[in-house]
């Protein structure tokens, strides 16, 4: 491993001079600086992370606060983690993944450790206890999601209310007059999680606007719970001909249960999913869906946080417009 002493010998300068060139802590003549930089390139020297951060007083680490809670779907969450880590790496930053569900106390602990430059916060609730702490912290933060009161915060999310609305409009345009939202597990709604709350609100408002009858039901993720939920839904509301499924983990079971009940998709019942494209495309038939753009959201959140670290202005709220892709599950 090449050391700073090796670079100093190669450039014919003192190790302290190499350090000053790398950190910018002292003014060095342009000729000496050029010689040191040439030696760094020739030897393939990579400064230690601590040395790289001295000039900016940064740890070069971002915290991704993603508490592991009931009702969360890990495959989709991991798409967010990979997106954040990839984007952070492009900015020469690593990511500290914080999964403990410690609320406000957990944020204070992470921010007070001096191990991170800023925080990315997920699974945001409408009345999230972490919000007042985020406003008071001396480290910048970005929320992937947004609470009921987002004043003083920087947030980015899919416009889930519009996503729910787009699904209803698509079904109404196809002639459906009774639709149902197969929603997230009950625990997600009990926490008043922002994305679930807004999807349901957008779905219900659009149904009223279009004069379409509607119903909603939370749904657990195991196959037996999905079977009971879908069977009961169709028994209680036999006129339902369109389903909007906002529960990635339950999607395969929903399709399988409809098949077992003799309901053909889309001839007897149309299905729209709110989920990542790859999941909608894997099912048979491929599902019409509104994409959950995990990669885009993760990259956008990191870009906003880096802008805040550089003291550049950022918009308080960024909502990505939903994109609906029609596939075989809603065509007639």
């Amino acid at each position: 491993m090449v050391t700073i002493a090796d670079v100093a010998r190669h450039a014919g300068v003192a190790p302290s001079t190499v350090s000053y060139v790398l950190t910018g802590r002292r003014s060095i003549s342009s000729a000496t600086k050029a010689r040191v930089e040439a030696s760094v390139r020739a030897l393939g020297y990579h400064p230690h992370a601590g040395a790289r951060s001295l000039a900016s007083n940064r740890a070069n680490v971002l915290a991704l606060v993603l508490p592991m809670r009931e009702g969360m779907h890990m495959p989709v969450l991991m798409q967010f983690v990979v997106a954040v880590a990839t984007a952070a790496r492009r900015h020469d930053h690593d990511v500290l993944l914080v999964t403990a569900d410690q609320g406000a106390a957990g944020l204070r602990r992470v921010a007070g450790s001096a191990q991170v430059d800023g925080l990315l916060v997920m699974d945001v609730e409408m009345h999230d206890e972490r919000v007042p702490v985020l406003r008071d912290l001396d480290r910048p933060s970005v929320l992937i999601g947004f609470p009921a009161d987002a004043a003083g915060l920087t947030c980015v999310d899919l416009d889930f209310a519009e996503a729910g609305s787009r699904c209803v409009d698509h079904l109404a345009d196809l002639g459906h007059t009774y639709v149902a939202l197969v929603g997230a597990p009950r625990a997600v709604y009990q926490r008043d999680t922002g994305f679930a709350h807004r999807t349901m609100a957008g779905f219900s408002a659009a149904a009223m606007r279009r004069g379409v009858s509607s119903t909603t039901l939370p749904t657990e993720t195991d196959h037996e719970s999905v079977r009971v939920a879908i069977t009961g839904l169709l028994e209680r509301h036999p006129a339902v001909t369109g389903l909007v499924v906002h529960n990635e983990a339950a999607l395969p079971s929903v399709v399988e249960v409809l098949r077992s009940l003799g309901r053909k998709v889309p001839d007897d019942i149309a299905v729209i999913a709110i989920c990542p494209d790859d999941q909608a495309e894997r099912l048979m038939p491929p599902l019409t869906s509104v994409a959950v753009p995990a990669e885009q959201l993760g990259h956008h959140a990191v870009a906003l946080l880096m802008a805040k670290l550089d003291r550049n202005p950022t918009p308080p709220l960024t909502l990505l417009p939903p994109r609906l892709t029609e596939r075989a599950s809603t065509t007639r």
Side-chain angles (χ1 to χ4, degrees):
M1 182 180 295
V2 180
T3 68
I4 199 169
D6 296 327
V7 175
R9 280 193 295 270
H10 190 274
V13 298
S16 60
T17 301
V18 177
S19 177
Y20 295 147
V21 169
L22 294 175
T23 63
R25 293 179 66 188
R26 285 194 185 180
S27 178
I28 302 296
S29 71
S30 57
T32 300
K33 182 178 179 182
R35 195 161 70 250
V36 170
E37 290 174 343
S39 294
V40 167
R41 289 192 297 271
L43 297 177
Y45 174 67
H46 297 286
H48 185 273
R52 290 198 307 267
S53 66
L54 283 175
S56 60
N57 290 322
R58 290 184 184 177
N60 282 21
V61 177
L62 306 179
L64 175 58
V65 182
L66 179 54
M68 295 292 99
R69 294 169 170 169
E70 183 181 354
M72 302 176 80
H73 186 49
M74 287 305 300
V76 174
L77 294 180
M78 287 310 299
Q79 291 187 17
F80 280 95
V81 173
V82 171
V84 167
T86 301
R89 192 66 264 150
R90 291 173 183 164
H91 292 278
D92 198 30
H93 277 61
D94 291 313
V95 174
L96 173 66
L97 182 59
V98 182
T99 59
D101 188 6
Q102 297 179 335
L107 286 185
R108 293 191 187 95
R109 176 179 59 80
V110 173
S113 68
Q115 294 179 335
V116 301
D117 299 320
L119 300 94
L120 299 161
V121 180
M122 293 187 63
D123 201 43
V124 180
E125 299 168 7
M126 295 296 288
H127 303 283
D128 202 306
E129 70 171 60
R130 298 172 296 179
V131 164
V133 177
L134 289 170
R135 292 193 180 108
D136 293 339
L137 289 179
D138 61 356
R139 299 186 190 280
S141 63
V142 172
L143 287 75
I144 303 178
F146 63 103
D149 180 9
L153 303 172
T154 302
C155 309
V156 59
D157 205 2
L158 175 67
D159 189 340
F160 279 100
E162 181 60 22
S165 178
R166 285 287 304 278
C167 292
V168 173
D169 282 335
H170 181 70
L171 291 171
D173 289 344
L174 291 172
H176 294 275
T177 59
Y178 204 142
V179 299
L181 173 65
V182 179
R186 190 173 302 276
V188 175
Y189 294 105
Q190 289 174 342
R191 291 197 299 269
D192 208 13
T193 307
F195 70 83
H197 174 92
R198 290 188 168 89
T199 300
M200 183 177 287
F203 172 90
S204 300
M208 292 182 64
R209 172 171 51 80
R210 294 298 299 262
V212 172
S213 299
S214 69
T215 188
T216 62
L217 72 157
T219 307
E220 304 308 312
T221 58
D222 64 281
H223 182 79
E224 179 59 20
S225 294
V226 174
R227 186 191 66 78
V228 171
I230 297 299
T231 302
L233 167 70
L234 297 179
E235 287 176 350
R236 293 189 304 274
H237 307 282
V240 166
T241 58
L243 298 182
V244 176
V245 183
H246 190 199
N247 185 329
E248 296 96 341
L251 266 175
S253 292
V254 169
V255 173
E256 185 176 338
V257 169
L258 290 174
R259 187 178 298 117
S260 71
L261 293 174
R263 301 295 184 98
K264 295 181 180 179
V265 177
D267 296 339
D268 299 323
I269 192 160
V271 180
I272 302 180
I274 301 176
C275 69
D277 278 334
D278 61 339
Q279 187 170 3
E281 292 167 350
R282 283 198 302 267
L283 295 170
M284 290 301 295
L287 301 183
T288 294
S289 67
V290 171
V292 174
E295 182 176 3
Q296 188 179 1
L297 285 168
H299 289 190
H300 207 118
V302 171
L304 287 168
L305 187 53
M306 296 308 301
K308 295 186 75 170
L309 283 167
D310 292 335
R311 302 186 183 280
N312 293 327
T314 57
L317 177 60
T318 302
L319 286 180
L320 304 186
R323 172 178 56 82
L324 186 145
T325 301
E326 186 171 2
R327 299 188 181 91
S329 67
T330 60
T331 56
R332 286 185 180 273

